[in-house]
Amino acid sequence: MSRRKQIYEGKAKILYEGPEPGTLVQYFKDDATAFNAQKKAILDGKGVLNNRISEFVMTHLAEIGIPTHFIKRLNMREQLIKKVEIIPLEVICRNVAAGTMAKRLGIEEGEKLPRSVVEFCLKRDDLGDPLIAEEHIHAFGWASSSELDEMIAMTLRINDYLQGMFAGIGIKLIDFKIEFGRLPISNEDGVVGHQVVLADEISPDSCRLWDRETNKKLDKDRFRRDLGEVTEAYTEVATRLGIIKEQNQHNATILSVVSNDD
Ligand code: 5GP
């Protein structure tokens, strides 16, 4: 890891130069942050769990034809990804009112929305990732009209697929945040265009996941709201997805994840 050139350090991940041109290594840290990094903690094993869960989700999405930046998992904390230019938007898809939507619109958390809603936030930590309208995206040129159409269509397909996937393991997908990037398309003349691909990660850090029967939160809200047992909840998601086998002790789980590694 230290031999590689660091390209970028975010709140939960580090990007290093990859072994081939056009690739990067995405390293999952144990750091947890909330409320624009005003709240911070280290959660032992979170990075390992998110690496595995995101690998699982990205691999399944690729199988249904969603283009992603994911190439392969390298080890317990790292994955090889395609280098993309990140589109500076957070795309949020909601099925049930929660979080900022419940607060902003005065809807009780847990109320099912009449239909899935796609929202956009500008990726600007210094501004607290503000909610924006599609008009802003057009006016400021953050994405082209066709990129926006592709992002919305992909987000809704991802939502349909993930809702089904999580329903199969007794979990409700309340909402999630995804990011997209521009992957260069090249031929012998050089770069001739770009393809919009799913980037970043999909994990309990970026989704709200509630147990179907009890509404127990199995996601980062456990950290945001001081509910405790954060990695235990992530472990439960990984276990139900069939990614890891043990679920007794947190340490046992991490050992099980590690022993599955290459
Ligand atoms: P809300 O806008 O209600 O805070 O978040 C909606 C959904 O997007 C939640 O699933 C939340 O976890 C995710 N989300 C929103 N902003 C961020 C962010 O900056 N980082 C991550 N990891 N997830 C986010």
Side-chain angles (χ1 to χ4, degrees):
M1 211 180 70
S2 53
R3 283 171 284 122
R4 297 194 188 115
K5 187 176 163 211
Q6 186 174 312
I7 305 287
Y8 170 82
E9 176 154 13
K11 286 173 278 195
K13 295 187 292 294
I14 305 175
L15 295 177
Y16 295 97
E17 207 166 60
E20 313 273 339
T23 66
L24 295 174
V25 172
Q26 178 165 251
Y27 175 94
F28 287 75
K29 300 194 283 185
D30 281 344
D31 301 55
T33 63
F35 313 117
N36 210 9
Q38 287 170 39
K39 178 170 178 168
K40 291 184 194 171
I42 304 284
L43 302 173
D44 250 0
K46 178 178 81 84
V48 175
L49 289 159
N50 281 354
N51 186 21
R52 294 295 292 256
I53 294 170
S54 196
E55 171 197 18
F56 183 92
V57 173
M58 291 268 180
T59 305
H60 281 79
L61 289 174
E63 281 168 11
I64 62 153
I66 302 287
T68 85
H69 74 161
F70 180 82
I71 302 173
K72 64 173 181 175
R73 186 170 57 83
L74 296 171
N75 54 51
M76 60 191 285
R77 287 188 183 273
E78 294 179 329
Q79 41 186 248
L80 186 65
I81 58 170
K82 296 172 190 167
K83 186 174 185 174
V84 298
E85 178 198 346
I86 290 288
I87 296 173
L89 301 171
E90 294 191 338
V91 184
I92 292 172
C93 184
R94 301 178 187 271
N95 302 307
V96 173
T100 57
M101 178 194 245
K103 203 169 168 187
R104 191 181 310 111
L105 302 183
I107 307 173
E108 192 172 344
E109 192 159 85
E111 195 174 309
K112 194 173 176 341
L113 299 175
R115 65 177 181 89
S116 303
V117 173
V118 177
E119 292 175 349
F120 298 93
C121 293
L122 181 64
K123 253 176 84 70
R124 277 281 299 268
D125 280 343
D126 57 333
L127 301 176
D129 300 336
L131 182 70
I132 52 168
E134 285 187 35
E135 269 293 287
H136 295 116
I137 300 173
H138 293 300
F140 294 106
W142 290 319
S144 69
S145 296
S146 63
E147 286 174 334
L148 196 54
D149 289 348
E150 283 175 57
M151 286 191 282
I152 294 170
M154 274 195 253
T155 301
L156 292 171
R157 282 194 69 206
I158 292 168
N159 185 44
D160 276 351
Y161 182 82
L162 292 187
Q163 272 191 301
M165 187 186 90
F166 283 118
I169 54 167
I171 290 176
K172 290 188 279 190
L173 177 63
I174 305 300
D175 57 33
F176 62 92
K177 182 271 298 181
I178 47 181
E179 296 182 23
F180 293 93
R182 298 183 181 103
L183 180 69
I185 303 168
S186 309
N187 66 15
E188 58 278 6
D189 300 325
V191 176
V192 292
H194 288 92
Q195 182 190 17
V196 177
V197 305
L198 179 64
D200 194 52
E201 71 178 296
I202 299 184
S203 73
D205 265 7
S206 55
C207 303
R208 283 199 174 91
L209 303 169
W210 293 3
D211 179 79
R212 183 178 53 206
E213 304 298 331
T214 63
N215 283 338
K216 179 182 173 189
K217 295 178 183 11
L218 301 171
D219 56 63
K220 195 171 155 186
D221 272 349
R222 299 203 71 82
F223 171 68
R224 295 188 188 102
R225 303 181 187 191
D226 291 323
L227 300 175
E229 303 192 328
V230 185
T231 43
E232 287 79 356
Y234 287 33
T235 301
E236 186 166 340
V237 173
T239 307
R240 290 200 204 178
L241 286 170
I243 298 170
I244 54 177
K245 291 172 196 79
E246 303 275 337
Q247 212 218 316
N248 309 333
Q249 289 273 317
H250 176 57
N251 284 347
T253 300
I254 297 304
L255 281 175
S256 151
V257 173
V258 174
S259 66
N260 285 339
D261 266 300
D262 315 320

